Amino acid sequence: MAFVVRLWHLTLRVERINTDVFTDPELRAKRPVIMLWHDEIFPLIPAHAGERMACVVSQSKDGEILTRVLESFGFMTVRGSSSRGGMRALIAAKRVMDEQGVGIIFTVDGPRGPRHKVKPGALFLARHAGSPIVPVRAVMSRAKVFHRAWDKFQLPWPFSRCTIIYGDPVFLPEPLDDPEEMRKQCEHLEQIMNSLGKNL
């Protein structure tokens, strides 16, 4: 499958917007938490191959397949999600960040939705790791949309255009122990994600 993903990616016309934010050495040293939507991960995996980051992946059977693909592209993986092994995954992710000095990637609406709704796990981790959150979107000009899947997963057609947009880092306020404040921050990050690539 990793070979297929690599080959497919070679056909895409990839453009990156605001890349300097993502590649800034000072930002990378702060071990950012990268937030993605679940349905947009396909073009992002090969686009960031070998960039020494870790991904949080669900403990489902699909997660096992994704883990093997991610590791073949050079990503580290941490297993767990909001529905299964959530706290263990956050603790393991924090350990990887500290020991390896890397950022962590979250599909913040996974593993089961609701679609494009930010869950608090990534915020909780960013707050306790002292890390900024970097929102990232992948906007595909033409894609096969799997409407029966909860996330309406997008598979870009070969030779289509894919625009990757990096948002500015978001530094969370202190504290985030109040559930109402956490809810507000989740909604704020949803608005930021939805605004990225809005005019494309």
Side-chain angles (χ1 to χ4, degrees):
M1 183 167 295
F3 173 77
V4 172
V5 174
R6 284 189 177 90
L7 189 62
W8 202 293
H9 185 257
L10 288 174
T11 73
L12 301 178
R13 292 176 291 148
V14 178
E15 177 188 4
R16 303 180 188 228
I17 296 177
N18 207 25
T19 315
D20 290 347
V21 167
F22 186 77
T23 58
D24 178 28
E26 290 187 12
L27 176 71
R28 297 300 288 267
K30 294 175 182 175
R31 306 161 306 158
V33 174
I34 310 298
M35 58 185 298
L36 320 172
W37 291 141
H38 200 275
D39 62 305
E40 297 176 352
I41 61 175
F42 184 90
L44 292 169
I45 293 172
H48 293 288
E51 291 192 1
R52 219 176 157 267
M53 297 193 73
C55 303
V56 176
V57 185
S58 76
Q59 292 179 328
S60 65
K61 291 181 180 178
D62 289 345
E64 180 61 32
I65 296 171
L66 180 58
T67 293
R68 294 182 183 184
V69 172
L70 287 167
E71 289 178 351
S72 74
F73 279 97
F75 293 95
M76 292 169 268
T77 57
V78 177
R79 302 300 300 276
S81 64
S82 58
S83 57
R84 294 176 62 189
M87 186 53 66
R88 288 196 303 273
L90 292 176
I91 293 170
K94 175 67 164 52
R95 185 181 301 116
V96 169
M97 294 170 77
D98 291 342
E99 293 178 356
Q100 302 293 330
V102 298
I104 203 93
I105 299 170
F106 263 86
T107 52
V108 288
D109 56 346
R112 299 178 182 173
R115 181 178 185 267
H116 290 191
K117 290 292 181 181
V118 174
K119 294 180 179 178
L123 283 74
F124 182 86
L125 177 61
R127 171 69 186 83
H128 284 272
S131 300
I133 290 177
V134 178
V136 180
R137 294 287 309 273
V139 179
M140 292 157 257
S141 62
R142 293 183 299 115
K144 164 65 177 175
V145 179
F146 293 83
H147 291 283
R148 291 188 179 183
W150 70 263
D151 62 347
K152 295 182 172 58
F153 186 83
Q154 298 182 69
L155 180 64
W157 288 113
F159 309 105
S160 61
R161 186 177 68 256
C162 178
T163 306
I164 301 174
I165 310 106
Y166 304 90
D168 293 329
V170 177
F171 293 87
L172 298 173
E174 297 185 39
L176 273 181
D177 299 328
D178 177 25
E180 180 61 19
E181 181 61 29
M182 177 67 83
R183 184 188 65 79
K184 289 180 180 178
Q185 289 301 317
C186 285
E187 290 182 350
H188 176 59
L189 287 166
E190 281 174 24
Q191 293 171 1
I192 292 174
M193 287 288 282
N194 290 330
S195 69
L196 294 179
K198 193 173 182 179
N199 299 321
L200 292 176

